Amino acid sequence: MTVKVAINGYGTIGKRVADAVSVQEDMEIIGVAKTRPNFEAFMAKKKGYDVFAPEDRIKGMEKANLEVEGSIDDMLERADVIVDCTPGGIGEKNKPIYEKAGVKAIWQGGEDHELAGCSFNAQSNYEEALGRDFVRVVSCNTTGLCRVIKPLDDEFGVNKARVTLMRRAADPADIKKGPINAIVPNPIKLPSHHGPDVKTVLPDIDIATTAVKLPTTLMHLHTINMELNSECTAEEVEALLAKQSRVRFVGQGITSTAEVMEMARDMNRPRSDMWENCVWNESITIYEGELYFFQGIHQESDVIPENVDAIRAVMEVEKDGTKSVAKTNKAMGI
Ligand SMILES: NC(=O)C1=CN([C@@H]2O[C@H](COP(=O)(O)OP(=O)(O)OC[C@H]3O[C@@H](n4cnc5c(N)ncnc54)[C@H](OP(=O)(O)O)[C@@H]3O)[C@@H](O)[C@H]2O)C=CC1
Ligand SMILES: O=C(OP(=O)(O)O)[C@H](O)COP(=O)(O)O
């Protein structure tokens, strides 16, 4: 079976999900929806994607010489599953349209957990999403946290996790957000929403997070501190994280997020994406019985393989999460 996938919202996340789906053997893109005839819409056409638009936007698109296949309802008629990559809060409004069309939907981390009732991270809770109509792939930061907390909890038991998130202020193409010369405690009320968000995937983890926004566009950086239930060495933690397919160790002169992104460019990754958590293995330390390490998260791309796995889970084309992760990784080159 080839799963027919539609994308609603072809921005930072949507365009990457479209390309990642296109390289999988068991799924295909049947259309992407745009609201404006901007360069991204023309690029989507150039790549061979059928472009759809809300009914009231079609005329404007055609006036700009962008050929539109039909409305979002038309796109839903052709799809088995829709990946909603519209800005946070907009996706919620689309739920009735998807329900009416009887199409499964996957939302992103900008929406609340309650919208889908199932928050997803492939390595943490794939099986929970099997056959569901609605799933939410958790945000970039939450994805990055789940990817390391889950294996550490399985192996050593996580008694408590305390994380400081230094967040990029905006994506590289975003001209609207700041700050450009300040460090902003955000959210100001503590702890931040990221800890509760991890608990939507891993409910038994004691986690608290704080977050600030920094004037950078490249990546988020996490300082992770955990109390583990069993005694272990830094070497044992390093060996465990080395086995995780979506965790990459960085060293060899990489001392910053800028150099991680340069490496992604050198790797000829599409859009210089870094789909894996980037852990500085040199930072992995056990100090007075507690674990510490740094990891970088490429906000624009770490959730992309997770969306591919979420499609397989809701469509039940692969019942085993480990196998889905392996298929996704192989097709994308992770
Ligand atoms: N960027 C990031 O770092 C990450 C984002 N996320 C989450 O992914 C989701 C999407 O974010 P992101 O890709 O950054 O957003 P973008 O703003 O980059 O893209 C959003 C897309 O949605 C379209 N859109 C805008 N308004 C509407 C609307 N009213 N109805 C339908 N489509 C609309 C836009 O199309 P058009 O230009 O045609 O209007 C655009 O293609 C959010 O939930 C976000 O929280 C998750 C992880 C990381
Ligand atoms: O999901 C994200 O971040 P978050 O995990 O801090 O909510 C993305 O980086 C988008 O964040 P934004 O809402 O600052 O654009």
Side-chain angles (χ1 to χ4, degrees), residues 9-13 34-36 85-87 108 110 168 171 299:
Y10 190 76
T12 303
I13 301 299
K34 281 284 297 167
T35 68
R36 297 178 295 152
C85 304
T86 58
Q108 308 305 310
R168 66 83 181 100
D171 289 336
Q299 78 284 349

Side-chain angles (χ1 to χ4, degrees), residues 108-130:
Q108 308 305 310
E111 306 301 329
D112 291 338
H113 166 77
E114 289 68 30
L115 178 66
C118 172
S119 291
F120 179 87
N121 170 253
Q123 293 97 328
S124 303
N125 67 343
Y126 184 94
E127 283 70 22
E128 202 184 314
L130 283 172

